[in-house]
Amino acid sequence: MRFVDEYRDQASAAAYAGAIKDLVTRPWAVMEICGGQTHAIVRYGLQDLLPEGVELIHGPGCPVCVTPVEILDRALAVAARPEVTFCSFGDMLRVPGTRKDLFTVKSEGADVRIVYSPMDAVELARQSPEREVVFFAVGFETTAPANAMAVFRAHQLGLSNFSMLVSHVLVPPAIEALLSDPETRVNGFLAAGHVCTVMGTSEYGPLAERFKVPIVVTGFEPLDILQGLHMVLKQLEEGRHEVENQYLRSVRSEGNPPAQRMVSEVFSVVPRQWRGLGEIPASGLGLAPAYAAYDAVLKFDVGAISAAESPDCISGEILKGLKKPRDCAAFGTRCTPDAPLGAPMVSSEGACAAYYRYRRA
Amino acid sequence: MSLDAMSCPLPLSEHASVQLAHGGGGRLMRRLIEDIFLPAFSNPGLAERHDATVLPIGPERIAFTTDSYVVSPLFFPGGDIGKLAVYGTVNDLAMAGARPAYLSCGFILEEGLPMTDLERIVASMRQAAAETGVQLVTGDTKVVDRGKGDGIFINTAGIGRVEPGVDIRPSRVRPGDAVLVSGDLGRHGVAILSVREGLSFETPIASDCGSLAGLVATLLEAGVEIHCLRDLTRGGLASALNEVAMDARVGIEVQQVQIPVHEAVAGACELLGLDPCYVANEGRLVAFVAPHHAELAVSVMRGHPQGEGATAIGTVTATDPGVVTNQTWLGGKRLMDLLSGEQLPRIC
């Protein structure tokens, strides 16, 4: 595939791995923020190419993993209603709430559909005026503009049978929360390239300065990640802590202003619960008051549903790199990829799921 | 009889009801078979867990198998449900080294199915049967109320003769065996998705659906020492390799760079966030052959129209029984695990 294979070239990858080996003089722990980067690291076995002292800590940037049980329980309650057609991206369907997942309510008769775009849900609402169409809006800054656009479009069309269950999260407050923990072991970050394509890089300067950590905005192909790592490690070895941009072919420092305008038109910043990390102030997006009519939580009155995370799950400490999955009493017994208790076991790229499979080996 | 013996022999599964993933060819389906079906029907034929069971009848051996076909849409680029229903069962027989001979066919028709659709499907079954040299010798028809079927469901069962000396089954796989595939992966799954989701690609992708019986017969005639065969259906290559690794208690190592995927399929999978190794095929097999016959097997397959894209992708190991590892493009290693159910499109 042109424009893809170039970023997966074996010789260049080996050269970068060699350069990293030559550069590093002591152990460092680098966190890749985004689940897409974790996916590439696992898929291409990048950890195997790195010197022993370089540890990759998989960050909380998988929207599937960090969606709290409470939101899942609300989604399940909305989806189970007979008048509702519940639309979601595919990988949310197997994430467990307190007792069930969306696949289970589907098997019990709920109308749950996998869509590829929030606009598909808007179209469905337009075609089926007798149904209440609800879209499960999950994700980071990357998916926020398209979701905002869907609400905006529904509003333009005057669709009263479309609403959204919003659980959007924001990257910079999560980095701040991780670094504010005095025990944190993370020395540097690969920031998420697609988040910065939308938002730009200006939010990261103050974080790099305040916590003295290098942050490199990085892409998603193997060579992107190796180059991003090289840049972070070079800063660490040289004692610098700056924001640098590896993903130049996509990220401009100002981001994508029209997309940002659409997001701030439809959404406002709210506190948000993160599975495994707890509530982080100003770390999420919710529908702005002017668009409250499209808020599925209000429309179906599920705001009172609350749920506690499993007390057995130590995913917060795992996401911070403080503990390894084997340190968890529930690991591999009460918590498995088929019946996960917490975030890192839910996603196939989560740290616990990866450990579970390697332990078997 | 003690009270213990009267208690229900079926352990409670974690799911109180059947989920779609129970039919996805992954871990949940394997558990369904292990928890519910195997304990209930336990016998040596079933225990081999092969695509078809080989049974002695007098001095002869026959292979016997069955499969049900539920696909939406009924017609897709490169095939239709009728072709699948013939080729799928023929292929399961071929995986036991049998020469397919006779099929049964059960139709479950939904009230309102256009007669022209049924005629098209039956004509395509007739053509597929003629091509593979099998006869549909017995059948059954049921009609269900509108809304209680997806247009048409088809079940076929088949039998075929296994020649003396042929012994192809998972438990014959040995460390050192070469692992070969008969062609590029993922065409069927992507063809179905493109129609189902209304996705159109620059290069239209047709299903690979076709018979593997001729290819297997050619391999046997060439004297290739085949230990095991699996046709790659739902769950794709990764699921087939995991099943064989678990059932034969061996490890399997494959090289990602050797796994053939057509550029258009790779592009579609990239776009949808799918791994072609888990995408369905309907005309591809994986063969486990004795190491000294690996080259012979590849060249024999390449000489057959159904095996033109054949290639060696890995080897069987004695380490890590039950585990499939994949050496990635860049030289790193990763596990190629069995999924819980079907692959789901990812958000990010």
Side-chain angles (χ1 to χ4, degrees):
Chain A
M1 261 174 295
R2 275 184 74 198
F3 309 127
V4 174
D5 289 343
E6 293 85 340
Y7 298 99
R8 299 175 183 174
D9 179 64
Q10 194 168 1
S12 313
Y16 258 113
I20 289 173
K21 237 171 235 157
D22 293 342
L23 177 71
V24 172
T25 60
R26 53 192 173 111
W28 297 109
V30 179
M31 175 177 279
E32 86 280 1
I33 284 291
C34 178
Q37 291 165 337
T38 309
H39 185 80
I41 288 166
V42 176
R43 184 171 177 204
Y44 294 93
L46 296 185
Q47 179 77 63
D48 294 354
L49 304 181
L50 299 175
E52 237 172 56
V54 176
E55 183 188 358
L56 295 178
I57 298 177
H58 305 321
C62 167
V64 175
C65 295
V66 300
T67 301
V69 178
E70 184 170 289
I71 300 276
L72 260 308
D73 282 353
R74 290 176 186 178
L76 294 165
V78 172
R81 294 174 71 107
E83 75 276 24
V84 166
T85 296
F86 195 87
C87 301
S88 170
F89 293 132
D91 47 1
M92 286 307 295
L93 267 65
R94 62 168 162 235
V95 184
T98 303
R99 275 187 305 277
K100 296 173 181 179
D101 59 21
L102 282 164
F103 272 129
T104 312
V105 295
K106 181 172 186 282
S107 77
E108 290 166 356
D111 184 3
V112 177
R113 310 217 189 154
I114 293 177
V115 295
Y116 288 87
S117 156
M119 297 310 257
D120 294 346
V122 175
E123 184 54 25
L124 199 61
R126 203 180 59 78
Q127 287 169 3
S128 334
E130 76 290 355
R131 303 287 299 163
E132 278 292 340
V133 177
V134 181
F135 180 74
F136 199 1
V138 181
F140 284 87
E141 292 91 328
T142 325
T143 51
N147 290 343
M149 183 59 101
V151 174
F152 190 75
R153 181 80 185 130
H155 188 62
Q156 274 183 329
L157 292 169
L159 295 176
S160 59
N161 65 327
F162 176 82
S163 58
M164 238 180 212
L165 185 61
V166 182
S167 182
H168 264 293
V169 278
L170 302 170
V171 168
I175 294 184
E176 187 181 353
L178 288 169
L179 289 173
S180 301
D181 188 318
E183 287 184 86
T184 191
R185 291 178 47 239
V186 182
N187 302 117
F189 284 92
L190 302 184
H194 290 155
V195 167
C196 295
T197 304
V198 174
M199 299 306 292
T201 57
S202 62
E203 297 170 284
Y204 297 89
L207 289 170
E209 189 48 48
R210 180 171 148 210
F211 295 103
K212 311 272 182 272
V213 288
I215 301 177
V216 177
V217 177
T218 303
F220 301 85
E221 293 297 332
L223 282 184
D224 289 323
I225 291 168
L226 288 171
Q227 190 181 28
L229 275 170
H230 186 267
M231 290 164 79
V232 166
L233 293 166
K234 192 161 191 310
Q235 286 200 45
L236 287 169
E237 289 286 341
E238 292 171 1
R240 291 183 293 126
H241 47 84
E242 296 160 19
V243 177
E244 291 179 322
N245 182 6
Q246 178 278 330
Y247 203 34
L248 285 165
R249 64 184 186 280
S250 177
V251 177
R252 287 174 297 175
S253 59
E254 73 277 19
N256 179 344
Q260 291 165 18
R261 279 196 292 278
M262 181 51 70
V263 171
S264 48
E265 161 71 23
V266 173
F267 293 128
S268 46
V269 174
V270 296
R272 181 70 73 205
Q273 283 279 341
W274 294 56
R275 199 168 201 167
L277 297 178
E279 185 169 303
I280 304 177
S283 68
L285 296 173
L287 284 161
Y291 292 89
Y294 299 92
D295 189 339
V297 173
L298 301 175
K299 191 175 212 173
F300 302 101
D301 194 21
V302 290
I305 296 177
S306 69
E309 303 289 326
S310 162
D312 299 336
C313 181
I314 61 166
S315 56
E317 284 141 296
I318 285 166
L319 289 176
K320 289 175 198 161
L322 299 177
K323 285 192 176 170
K324 292 288 176 198
R326 286 198 190 90
D327 301 329
C328 176
F331 176 76
T333 53
R334 275 163 295 143
C335 183
T336 64
D338 287 334
L341 290 180
M345 191 64 98
V346 174
S347 162
S348 55
E349 290 92 42
C352 296
Y355 265 74
Y356 181 82
R357 280 180 258 151
Y358 277 104
R359 187 191 67 147
R360 249 186 32 201
Chain B
M1 189 192 270
S2 77
L3 273 178
D4 280 353
M6 283 179 68
S7 68
C8 177
L10 306 179
L12 283 175
S13 80
E14 281 161 41
H15 289 281
S17 62
V18 173
Q19 310 289 301
L20 268 180
H22 281 119
R27 225 169 13 230
L28 279 186
M29 185 163 142
R30 203 176 157 85
R31 200 184 298 159
L32 189 73
I33 293 170
E34 283 171 359
D35 292 353
I36 307 240
F37 300 134
L38 286 183
F41 306 122
S42 150
N43 62 62
L46 205 53
E48 184 65 46
R49 302 178 71 160
H50 199 9
D51 286 346
T53 302
V54 176
L55 305 163
I57 299 208
E60 302 282 335
R61 288 182 306 154
I62 62 155
F64 180 35
T65 192
T66 184
D67 209 332
S68 299
Y69 300 87
V70 294
V71 63
S72 170
L74 300 175
F75 304 93
F76 48 83
D80 56 55
I81 190 172
K83 270 191 185 179
L84 285 184
V86 173
Y87 291 142
T89 297
V90 159
N91 290 349
D92 281 346
L93 292 171
M95 294 309 109
R99 212 172 266 281
Y102 300 107
L103 300 189
S104 74
C105 181
F107 290 105
I108 296 172
L109 308 176
E110 184 186 359
E111 179 186 26
L113 174 74
M115 211 52 95
T116 49
D117 283 0
L118 183 58
E119 283 163 1
R120 257 177 90 186
I121 290 164
V122 169
S124 142
M125 292 179 78
R126 185 180 63 180
Q127 196 194 342
E131 182 202 318
T132 46
V134 296
Q135 288 182 289
L136 273 78
V137 290
T138 181
D140 175 57
T141 309
K142 297 284 186 294
V143 178
V144 296
D145 290 330
R146 185 186 276 273
K148 297 204 169 156
D150 212 353
I152 176 170
F153 298 144
I154 302 177
N155 171 276
T156 54
I159 58 170
R161 194 161 157 236
V162 183
E163 296 294 334
V166 173
D167 186 12
I168 297 174
R169 56 195 159 89
S171 47
R172 287 205 61 220
V173 173
R174 293 285 172 272
D177 281 359
V179 183
L180 322 171
V181 291
S182 64
D184 64 328
L185 304 181
R187 286 176 186 247
H188 178 72
V190 169
I192 294 280
L193 258 182
S194 66
V195 189
R196 197 184 289 169
E197 309 294 345
L199 306 168
S200 51
F201 301 110
E202 266 178 45
T203 320
I205 299 157
S207 168
D208 56 350
C209 110
S211 163
L212 295 165
L215 181 66
V216 173
T218 310
L219 281 167
L220 290 172
E221 281 157 22
V224 174
E225 190 185 326
I226 306 171
H227 291 162
C228 184
L229 296 169
R230 260 298 140 97
D231 64 337
L232 307 177
T233 53
R234 93 203 118 156
L237 174 70
S239 304
L241 293 179
N242 272 286
E243 284 169 13
V244 172
M246 286 188 267
D247 294 341
R249 295 183 190 87
V250 293
I252 299 175
E253 276 181 23
V254 297
Q255 313 284 323
Q256 182 75 51
V257 65
Q258 301 297 337
I259 297 174
V261 181
H262 186 272
E263 177 135 347
V265 172
C269 287
E270 192 71 34
L271 201 68
L272 297 170
L274 303 175
D275 181 342
C277 290
Y278 292 87
V279 174
N281 310 269
E282 285 293 344
R284 296 287 184 261
L285 60 78
V286 59
F288 298 80
V289 305
H292 63 287
H293 275 182
E295 280 179 35
L296 172 67
V298 169
S299 75
V300 168
M301 283 206 267
R302 286 188 182 163
H304 190 278
Q306 201 62 36
E308 279 169 359
T311 184
I313 59 163
T315 47
V316 176
T317 69
T319 50
D320 301 335
V323 173
V324 182
T325 52
N326 181 346
Q327 179 142 30
T328 74
W329 291 274
L330 303 181
K333 251 190 195 180
R334 69 168 169 135
L335 274 143
M336 207 179 198
D337 206 11
L338 203 56
L339 295 182
S340 179
E342 278 184 63
Q343 251 189 131
L344 299 171
R346 290 154 42 87
I347 294 180
C348 70

